[in-house]
Amino acid sequence: MSQLVTARIRSTAAKLGLPHLAESLNQYAERAEEGKLGYLDFLDLLLAEELAVRDDRRFRQGLRLSKLPHHKTLDDYDFSFQPELDPRKVKDLATLSFVEAKANAALLGPPGVGKTHLAVALAVAACRAGFSIYFTTLDDMVRQLKTAEAAGRLTSKLRSYLRPSVLVVDEVGYQPLERAEANLVFQVISKRYEKGSIILTSNKTFSEWGQVFGDEVLATAILDRLLHHCDVIAINGPSYRLKNRLAAIERETEVA
């Protein structure tokens, strides 16, 4: 490929918003020559590489905007430590069919069993697949909505929780809510109903949600919409955090 042609292609690629192609053109040309690629195969190579770069850029941008506390995956989760948890149920969720169906997923169990880890892992998988994601604790979401309501910006703030394809709501039940606060949560749940997916974690059984939301009727209304299309996974095992803390104490004792 002549230098003149190379320069012209690079200029055209830059104008088309294909910076990676412009930067890597010589590398692609060498691969095409070594593989004796035809014109169509060479074009397929260029387009596939550019798409992969764009997908990776979109994925990284999606993670940056998601507010996820970390980017752990299912490969990082120790299923052997939770023998009562069937890995197949989690891996079924990881196919993201529930996201495509705009359904929900609920992870229930005591503190420390890895609910947030699994919720984040599913969100990361969804982001990788091209879905927009957003993470919040229930307490922070309520606080943000209350502040926006007081400032007359509730409708605008609600959109930040309605816009993403997947909304992760962590730590449902750790703090009881007042009825007005529970009503704000109801607005999010009801407006997302069959329009977007929710992944939530809770240390409370659904029968205890009346206490969490301070109103049995309102809790029932929330659960009615949430559970209509929902996969529920209960994790009733030991705490990872306690396990790690005990291991640290044992090491400190051995050193002493």
Side-chain angles (χ1 to χ4, degrees), residues 24-39:
S24 307
L25 182 59
N26 285 343
Q27 176 188 341
Y28 293 151
E30 290 174 4
R31 288 172 58 184
E33 187 172 346
E34 291 173 1
K36 302 186 184 307
L37 299 182
Y39 296 120

Side-chain angles (χ1 to χ4, degrees), residues 11-232:
S11 175
T12 303
K15 291 176 182 177
L16 290 173
L18 304 174
H20 180 72
L21 173 57
E23 295 170 2
S24 307
L25 182 59
N26 285 343
Q27 176 188 341
Y28 293 151
E30 290 174 4
R31 288 172 58 184
E33 187 172 346
E34 291 173 1
K36 302 186 184 307
L37 299 182
Y39 296 120
L40 290 179
D41 289 332
F42 182 44
L43 179 60
D44 181 56
L45 169 66
L46 295 180
L47 294 178
E49 291 286 348
E50 189 65 35
L51 180 61
V53 169
R54 288 194 171 192
D55 282 346
D56 186 65
R57 187 184 305 127
R58 175 204 50 74
F59 171 62
R60 294 181 183 280
Q61 176 74 351
L63 289 183
R64 188 179 68 81
L65 298 174
S66 68
K67 305 297 184 182
L68 288 172
H70 49 72
H71 299 158
K72 292 181 179 178
T73 67
L74 289 183
D75 290 337
D76 302 318
Y77 190 85
D78 185 4
F79 284 97
S80 66
F81 193 66
Q82 302 293 353
E84 293 186 20
L85 174 61
D86 187 349
R88 292 174 299 181
K89 292 183 178 180
V90 179
K91 291 174 182 177
D92 282 345
L93 287 178
T95 65
L96 305 177
S97 58
F98 78 100
V99 177
E100 295 171 356
K102 297 180 172 56
N104 306 314
L107 303 167
L108 309 181
V113 296
K115 302 184 299 297
T116 300
H117 182 150
L118 291 177
V120 167
L122 292 172
V124 169
C127 185
R128 174 68 76 181
F131 295 100
S132 56
I133 60 174
Y134 192 78
F135 177 96
T136 181
T137 63
L138 181 68
D139 183 58
D140 188 61
M141 183 176 76
V142 168
R143 183 167 53 251
Q144 294 286 344
L145 291 173
K146 285 176 65 178
T147 300
E149 185 177 38
R153 297 183 289 104
L154 179 59
T155 300
S156 174
K157 191 61 184 178
L158 275 171
R159 281 198 290 269
S160 65
Y161 299 109
L162 302 178
R163 189 180 302 114
S165 300
V166 179
L167 176 66
V168 181
V169 183
D170 198 28
E171 298 182 350
V172 176
Y174 283 81
Q175 294 291 336
L177 303 180
E178 298 177 358
R179 194 181 190 287
E181 295 172 331
N183 185 60
L184 293 172
V185 177
F186 172 75
Q187 290 190 55
V188 174
I189 301 297
S190 63
K191 291 180 185 297
R192 287 190 64 87
Y193 177 61
E194 295 187 332
K195 294 181 180 177
S197 295
I198 293 175
I199 302 173
L200 68 86
T201 73
S202 179
N203 66 329
K204 302 292 186 184
T205 63
F206 293 131
S207 63
E208 297 174 291
W209 277 32
Q211 303 169 27
V212 173
F213 291 98
D215 186 295
E216 291 288 349
V217 174
L218 194 52
T220 299
I222 290 173
L223 286 170
D224 180 61
R225 288 157 178 77
L226 185 69
L227 298 180
H228 185 204
H229 308 290
C230 186
D231 290 294
V232 180

